[in-house]
Amino acid sequence: MAVKRVHERTVMPFPQELIEGYRAFLIGRLRHEQDRYSGLAESGQSPQILVIGCCDSRVSPEVIFDARPGELFVVRNIGNLVPPYTPDGAQRAVSAALEFAVQALKVKHIVVLGHAQCGGIRAFAEETGPLSPGDFIGHWMALIAPAAAEIGPRGDRPLADYLTQLEQTSIVKTLDNLMTFPWIKTPVERGTLTLHAAYFGVATGQLSVRDPATGKFAQVATDDYRRIFGQPRF
Ligand SMILES: [Zn+2]
């Protein structure tokens, strides 16, 4: 009889909703994309796009971009952040994922996907828990500080406006941090790799992309969005 490991001495079974979700995947997507899966298993993955997103359960890049298997290489962390290039021998998950995507897979695009109502950014802005200095998350969210410094104190700004500005400025700072990696900077300067900033509105479902010429985030696919959601509801 197999000996249970410490982490297996739990009382709760594997979540039923995951079994049900897998069942739906099985009869839906897997059945339709079986050839694609077996092809990818044989040839390996070659995604052209790396997405850096937030862990937030509402902003899955594969769902938002309706991505098929093998299309997106996704890195998710709290606040969709990238620490600056620091080759110090520490185990750096984000840097390792970037290195693999850029150096081995040779992706053509890196998209930093931020979002509205980001809990990590709000907690940083309001200096509320669980961001105590000893915690992992507090230390991690300190990466927001340069963005907060750039937009200045909140002052009279409504909180929602301030948070949106902080969320979007933080995405741009993440692009700046990406450029501190020499093997990202070089292909960007050569034009073989492009960095993009995008922002998803959780409540509205609107996707905005930053125009490098103006520095402003502008909604994309507005025609379709208006066609589907612009009509009177009744
Ligand atoms: Zn978030």
Side-chain angles (χ1 to χ4, degrees), residues 87-157:
D88 57 0
Q91 289 157 321
R92 297 184 172 274
V94 176
S95 303
L98 291 175
E99 189 174 60
F100 184 68
V102 175
Q103 306 250 60
L105 297 174
K106 302 200 183 309
V107 295
K108 305 270 189 293
H109 302 270
I110 301 179
V111 176
V112 178
L113 176 66
H115 69 100
Q117 285 94 38
C118 185
I121 288 183
R122 186 179 179 127
F124 177 87
E126 296 185 331
E127 296 179 8
T128 54
L131 306 189
S132 60
D135 292 333
F136 288 106
I137 190 169
H139 191 56
W140 177 250
M141 290 310 293
L143 288 165
I144 297 282
E150 184 169 312
I151 65 169
R154 181 184 152 199
D156 296 336
R157 279 180 277 188

Side-chain angles (χ1 to χ4, degrees), residues 32-199:
H32 294 118
E33 305 218 68
Q34 209 171 5
D35 289 349
R36 189 174 170 86
Y37 274 103
S38 51
L40 285 167
E42 213 164 287
S43 63
Q45 61 167 340
S46 53
Q48 303 281 294
I49 302 168
L50 159 66
V51 179
I52 299 165
C54 183
C55 291
D56 192 305
S57 58
R58 301 165 295 180
V59 293
S60 166
E62 294 91 338
V63 173
I64 293 168
F65 297 116
D66 193 25
R68 300 171 70 197
E71 287 183 342
L72 295 184
F73 190 86
V74 177
V75 179
R76 294 177 74 172
N77 62 56
I78 308 273
N80 39 269
L81 300 167
V82 171
Y85 180 68
T86 316
D88 57 0
Q91 289 157 321
R92 297 184 172 274
V94 176
S95 303
L98 291 175
E99 189 174 60
F100 184 68
V102 175
Q103 306 250 60
L105 297 174
K106 302 200 183 309
V107 295
K108 305 270 189 293
H109 302 270
I110 301 179
V111 176
V112 178
L113 176 66
H115 69 100
Q117 285 94 38
C118 185
I121 288 183
R122 186 179 179 127
F124 177 87
E126 296 185 331
E127 296 179 8
T128 54
L131 306 189
S132 60
D135 292 333
F136 288 106
I137 190 169
H139 191 56
W140 177 250
M141 290 310 293
L143 288 165
I144 297 282
E150 184 169 312
I151 65 169
R154 181 184 152 199
D156 296 336
R157 279 180 277 188
L159 181 62
D161 293 355
Y162 173 76
L163 290 175
T164 301
Q165 209 180 350
L166 185 55
E167 285 156 355
Q168 295 187 346
T169 305
S170 170
I171 299 169
V172 179
K173 287 284 175 198
T174 296
L175 297 187
D176 291 345
N177 284 353
L178 284 169
M179 289 295 279
T180 65
F181 290 74
W183 32 263
I184 290 179
K185 187 170 185 274
T186 301
V188 167
E189 286 173 349
R190 284 189 187 141
T192 55
L193 174 66
T194 309
L195 311 186
H196 310 271
Y199 183 79

